Amino acid sequence: MSALKFVPRGSLVAYGAKIAPIRSACVVSRFFSVAVSHSEVTVEALKGEHDGIRVISLNRPSVRNAFSRKLLGEFSNAIDDVRADSDARVVILRSLVPGVFSAGADLKERLTMSQSDVGAFVNKLRETFSKFEALPQPTVAAIDGAALGGGLELALCADIRTVGKGARVGLPETKLAIIPGAGGTQRLSRLIGISRAKELIFTGRSLDANEAFRWGIANHAVEDGFLKSLELASEMLRSGPIALRAAKAAITTGTPLDLATGLKVEQLCYNEVIPTDDRMEALKAMSEKRPPLFKGR
């Protein structure tokens, strides 16, 4: 962001800003943002009308956001920051590097690793991506450029994906004589079906934004993926934050199970929202014909 201030890990900076375009991405209203910066990853807490939205941004332009040990460690720390933030209601993941979401693994660093080091790194990559997937808040990946290999594997861990007009997605690992190792074979198959996933992985083909939408990888193919992600996140802010987390838990945990067991999971998650103040606030607001004011309790 043009107004973004980078600060040491753990410190906070607040500023008011009318956001100028980030490439084509812009926010058209005034808000306050709080940023926690790692050198290659930034977590922003949007305020004002976007209060409750957290934006995790990848920013390693020299290698197109390729995941090194350093970037992976900072991303893991960013996930921890968001998980510990009780006011975080929706999370957007994006890139600050024009034309790229993430190019996957840092292959130059990979050349310096022993075989055992490679295995350990891929395991850590898989674990960290799964940690992002397990965030209790709804997550949206804004893909405004290339998301290849590990980049797409990371995006597949989000609940929702938006792709901008310059996006390309794919899992080209077989062309490098390896396979997707950070969840791509499993998450892509579950998302778009086994046969289609096999086609993409076996050929190593990449898809443009419209193809990614048609194949079911993206929820939306638009001019600007970040703007659409922000729009979706803003819609979610109108929902109760405890309800959002309960709904995510019910869908994520229950869907892989048989229907009878899934319904029991749904019941358990529903039980979590019954005693909340937010539920009573929603009923009261409806009777008073006003928007509810949810406080997450």
Side-chain angles (χ1 to χ4, degrees):
M1 286 188 175
S2 60
L4 182 62
K5 287 178 106 174
F6 291 107
V7 295
R9 172 170 166 74
S11 59
L12 297 176
V13 58
Y15 57 91
K18 190 173 183 74
I19 299 302
I22 315 162
R23 290 173 288 127
S24 59
C26 61
V27 182
V28 294
S29 62
R30 183 175 179 83
F31 66 95
F32 287 88
S33 175
V34 177
V36 177
S37 179
H38 316 267
S39 63
E40 297 177 344
V41 180
T42 301
V43 181
E44 287 180 272
L46 305 189
K47 298 298 181 182
E49 66 184 279
H50 302 299
D51 190 20
I53 298 174
R54 301 296 180 265
V55 181
I56 300 176
S57 301
L58 306 179
N59 189 28
R60 194 182 180 218
S62 61
V63 289
R64 296 169 58 82
N65 286 342
F67 271 89
S68 62
R69 290 186 178 100
K70 182 175 185 291
L71 180 60
L72 186 61
E74 291 193 7
F75 181 57
S76 180
N77 289 337
I79 297 169
D80 292 337
D81 289 341
V82 171
R83 178 177 285 278
D85 184 351
S86 60
D87 294 323
R89 293 169 60 178
V90 188
V91 181
I92 297 174
L93 174 64
R94 66 158 178 181
S95 166
L96 290 178
V97 180
V100 65
F101 179 75
S102 172
D106 186 336
L107 298 182
K108 289 185 178 179
E109 184 181 74
R110 183 72 59 86
L111 282 172
T112 69
M113 296 181 182
S114 66
Q115 291 186 17
S116 61
D117 288 340
V118 170
F121 177 78
V122 173
N123 286 341
K124 183 65 175 177
L125 193 69
R126 188 184 305 113
E127 291 170 2
T128 303
F129 287 5
S130 294
K131 185 165 76 166
F132 175 73
E133 183 179 42
L135 279 172
Q137 304 95 338
T139 56
V140 187
I143 305 171
D144 284 305
L148 301 172
L152 178 56
E153 289 181 297
L154 172 56
L156 290 173
C157 295
D159 298 311
I160 296 169
R161 283 155 297 282
T162 66
V163 290
K165 66 176 183 179
R168 290 207 70 85
V169 304
L171 297 174
E173 283 88 347
T174 55
K175 291 184 175 180
L176 298 173
I178 56 175
I179 68 170
T185 63
Q186 303 305 302
R187 291 190 178 93
L188 187 64
S189 298
R190 285 163 170 75
L191 181 66
I192 67 174
I194 293 174
S195 181
R196 282 194 157 195
K198 284 180 176 178
E199 180 178 342
L200 284 183
I201 293 171
F202 293 172
T203 62
R205 184 190 313 153
S206 66
L207 306 176
D208 64 24
N210 289 328
E211 290 171 326
F213 174 71
R214 289 198 300 269
W215 279 62
I217 295 173
N219 296 69
H220 300 275
V222 291
E223 184 76 12
D224 189 296
F226 176 68
L227 274 182
K228 185 62 179 179
S229 295
L230 187 62
E231 177 188 323
L232 291 169
S234 297
E235 283 188 65
M236 295 177 203
L237 291 181
R238 301 170 196 163
S239 301
I242 298 175
L244 286 174
R245 296 182 182 214
K248 177 171 178 174
I251 296 168
T252 302
T253 305
T255 301
L257 308 174
D258 63 89
L259 180 58
T261 307
L263 290 173
K264 291 178 181 178
V265 170
E266 181 182 85
Q267 179 183 357
L268 291 172
C269 293
Y270 195 96
N271 289 344
E272 294 295 313
V273 302
I274 292 175
T276 63
D277 293 342
D278 282 351
R279 185 180 74 87
M280 298 308 298
E281 163 63 12
L283 295 174
K284 184 178 179 181
M286 185 178 297
S287 67
E288 296 174 356
K289 298 184 179 356
R290 61 171 176 81
L293 181 60
F294 295 129
K295 297 183 178 179
R297 57 176 189 262

